[in-house]
Amino acid sequence: MVRAKQWDEQDPGVLRLPSGRLVRGRGLRRPLDPGASQPSYGVYLLGRRPPEVVWESRWLRWPDFRLPADRTAARAVLTEAWERAADERVELACGGGRGRTGTALACLAVLDGVPAEEAVAYVREHYDRHAVETPWQKRYVRRFGAA
């Protein structure tokens, strides 16, 4: 059942996790369509502080093509995003919406019960076939499951 506060599964970038939670991945370099739903909570995966938004948000320092600067903080932020996605519109976004966003979405899939070895393939199949761009991002997802 989709709650009123959740995403429309047909909207661009929306990923359905096995539990039914819906999360949206997005590239910040592409402007948000004025008619698109706004998140109630956003996690922004950038090397520099993101622009201000009107919804509640967190910044996770994560330089392009790299890994989170603080992995303990990353686990806490991603866990909170997964928990909130049960009944809120949660958005994860980086510059292009593929590498860091795909990696974070794969970590949410692991939290949702997808085996860590399968999480990258899951996100590529259901979100973006180019998601998770580097070998170290793939390794991060596998290790995220082991932690």
Side-chain angles (χ1 to χ4, degrees):
M1 175 176 103
V2 175
R3 296 175 182 96
K5 288 185 171 184
Q6 287 195 330
W7 296 111
D8 179 337
E9 191 170 357
Q10 304 308 310
D11 285 349
V14 174
L15 170 69
R16 176 178 286 279
L17 295 169
S19 67
R21 286 175 166 88
L22 300 173
V23 293
R24 181 173 75 187
R26 183 166 73 92
L28 296 171
R29 287 193 293 268
R30 292 184 301 277
L32 187 59
D33 182 327
S37 297
Q38 291 185 342
S40 52
Y41 182 70
V43 176
Y44 300 102
L45 317 160
L46 300 166
R48 296 183 182 172
R49 186 171 298 282
E52 292 296 318
V53 291
V54 297
W55 50 85
E56 187 179 353
S57 67
R58 293 282 305 267
W59 169 44
L60 185 57
R61 197 162 84 70
W62 192 332
D64 202 6
F65 296 106
R66 307 258 174 130
L67 297 175
D70 181 337
R71 301 211 183 134
T72 302
R75 177 169 282 282
V77 168
L78 294 174
T79 299
E80 179 183 9
W82 175 78
E83 290 169 349
R84 293 178 77 148
D87 58 8
E88 293 182 53
R89 284 190 308 266
V90 173
E91 167 178 88
L92 292 103
C94 66
R98 289 184 169 171
R100 295 167 285 181
T101 298
T103 302
L105 289 172
C107 291
L108 264 60
V110 170
L111 292 170
D112 206 63
V114 175
E117 305 78 35
E118 299 170 20
V120 171
Y122 182 87
V123 169
R124 286 179 174 170
E125 180 181 348
H126 300 284
Y127 169 69
D128 185 312
R129 64 188 179 101
H130 299 291
V132 190
E133 296 174 316
T134 69
W136 42 92
Q137 289 172 340
K138 291 176 196 170
R139 187 170 46 245
Y140 178 77
V141 173
R142 283 193 310 272
R143 291 181 178 166
F144 191 87

